[in-house]
Amino acid sequence: MIVTLTVNPSLDRTVELDRALERGEVQRVARSVEEPGGKGVNVTRALVAAGADSIAVLPGRADDPLVVALAAARLPVATVPIAGRLRSNIAITEPDGVTTKLNEPGPALDDDEQRALIGAVVERSTDASWLVLAGSLPPSLPDDFYVRVVREARAAGGAARIAVDTSGAPLAALVDSGEEIDLIKPNGEELAELTGEIDPEALEADPERVAALAARLAPRGIRSALVTLGARGAVHVGAEGAWFAPAPRIDARSTVGAGDSSLAGFLLAVTEGAASDRALAQAVAHGAAAASLPGSAVPTRADADATAITAIRIRGAVAPIVH
């Protein structure tokens, strides 16, 4: 079982345009889709679509539109009632795959709601193979909220391994805490921000540099890193060394949730016993398949065929992350 926590889930509306977005103009929508989302929710959706066992833990009342949508989709969820309403996000996708996101900040969670949410995560992850902490935090939560979740989950003996997919201050707080994290999944821009790299675009084009920066996180408690690089592919650095897997050529329709599907593909492969290079290939296959689908749709196992993707070892650039 893989348990995901989405502290700031959203009802995602994806609007597809039939031509490039023109600011200040009136444009017709080619297609519009509304789906429940948030990083952890998307990871669970992708895992379930691939036939894996997963449950999404999130805040939300039973009558919240997002929770209603999850129930209609029959996604395994564990919800914690809160007073506020969950957020709605809008993504605008253009024909060439460029995506513009408009994200609301999310609801306020008081101390009791925070404690209840952490309690639900700890309870659900007791026998889990992975606990995935994913997404942004609502403005009402402190930057170190994920640190608290990790400590309480570890203290309760829950979750064999912990993966984190967040960014900015929450990711920095987690790394600075020294807590051991089995996997982080930043994209190139997020890794650049975390490590002080000044040119994210140049970084994404340099897998060896990506691997070197990711390996520097080992003394700070990070056991491994999966760094997604958009259309270029992804890098994984861990105990077995560093690998780069280039992405296949696709007709991109929407990048919404592609990184979440990449993480799901990696975890799926790892839990099935794959070596890190093949797990990386599966991550890239899942991410590419998601980007070729409309809206925030997630791929099935058949959609994400990794057999044609070859991971390339990055030699001499880094020392393996070991603990």
Side-chain angles (χ1 to χ4, degrees):
M1 172 65 74
I2 297 175
V3 176
T4 66
L5 169 63
T6 308
V7 184
N8 204 13
S10 58
L11 193 59
D12 292 340
R13 185 181 182 192
T14 304
V15 176
E16 291 188 18
L17 303 180
D18 58 7
R19 57 189 174 90
L21 176 66
E22 297 181 23
R23 294 180 61 191
E25 299 296 325
V26 176
Q27 293 183 236
R28 295 190 180 278
V29 173
R31 185 174 181 269
S32 178
V33 179
E34 191 170 67
E35 296 171 305
K39 282 185 172 295
V41 170
N42 288 338
V43 171
T44 289
R45 290 174 58 219
L47 288 168
V48 171
D53 291 329
S54 180
I55 186 169
V57 180
L58 63 148
R61 301 189 309 267
D63 63 348
D64 190 282
L66 170 58
V67 177
V68 171
L70 289 171
R74 297 186 177 181
L75 192 75
V77 299
T79 58
V80 174
I82 62 172
R85 176 171 172 167
L86 299 175
R87 63 180 179 155
S88 296
N89 294 337
I90 298 174
I92 303 170
T93 63
E94 301 175 54
D96 62 356
V98 171
T99 302
T100 302
K101 298 180 181 180
L102 306 174
N103 292 347
E104 294 183 357
L109 275 66
D110 63 27
D111 291 344
D112 289 340
E113 291 168 342
Q114 293 177 37
R115 282 192 292 268
L117 187 61
I118 294 174
V121 172
V122 171
E123 178 184 358
R124 292 287 180 171
S125 63
T126 299
D127 298 318
S129 58
W130 283 90
L131 169 60
V132 180
L133 312 179
S136 64
L137 298 176
S140 61
L141 267 61
D143 293 337
D144 65 352
F145 181 79
Y146 282 140
V147 177
R148 180 180 168 191
V149 176
V150 170
R151 287 174 177 165
E152 296 202 22
R154 296 288 196 207
R161 289 171 286 185
I162 295 177
V164 178
D165 182 5
T166 189
S167 60
L171 179 58
L174 194 59
V175 172
D176 290 343
S177 74
E179 292 293 325
E180 289 199 349
I181 305 299
D182 298 280
L183 177 70
I184 60 170
K185 196 222 71 67
N187 59 31
E189 182 177 353
E190 292 161 351
L191 179 65
E193 180 182 16
L194 180 64
T195 58
E197 191 78 359
I198 61 174
D199 192 343
E201 188 172 340
L203 178 63
E204 289 196 347
D206 188 350
E208 289 191 2
R209 180 63 177 164
V210 168
L213 289 176
R216 289 182 187 175
L217 300 174
R220 302 168 73 181
I222 307 303
R223 291 179 177 270
S224 67
L226 170 65
V227 186
T228 51
L229 305 174
R232 292 184 174 94
V235 167
H236 179 257
V237 182
E240 297 177 36
W243 300 83
F244 167 65
R249 290 181 177 271
I250 61 166
D251 293 324
R253 296 188 64 180
S254 171
T255 60
V256 178
D260 306 328
S261 286
S262 292
L263 178 55
F266 185 87
L267 297 178
L268 177 69
V270 167
T271 56
E272 293 178 349
S276 59
D277 61 325
R278 295 315 304 161
L280 176 61
Q282 190 61 61
V284 170
H286 257 78
S292 68
L293 297 172
S296 58
V298 296
T300 64
R301 191 183 291 260
D303 294 327
D305 184 4
T307 56
I309 297 175
T310 301
I312 305 163
R313 182 181 286 276
I314 300 175
R315 299 185 181 276
V318 297
I321 293 182
V322 293
H323 285 271

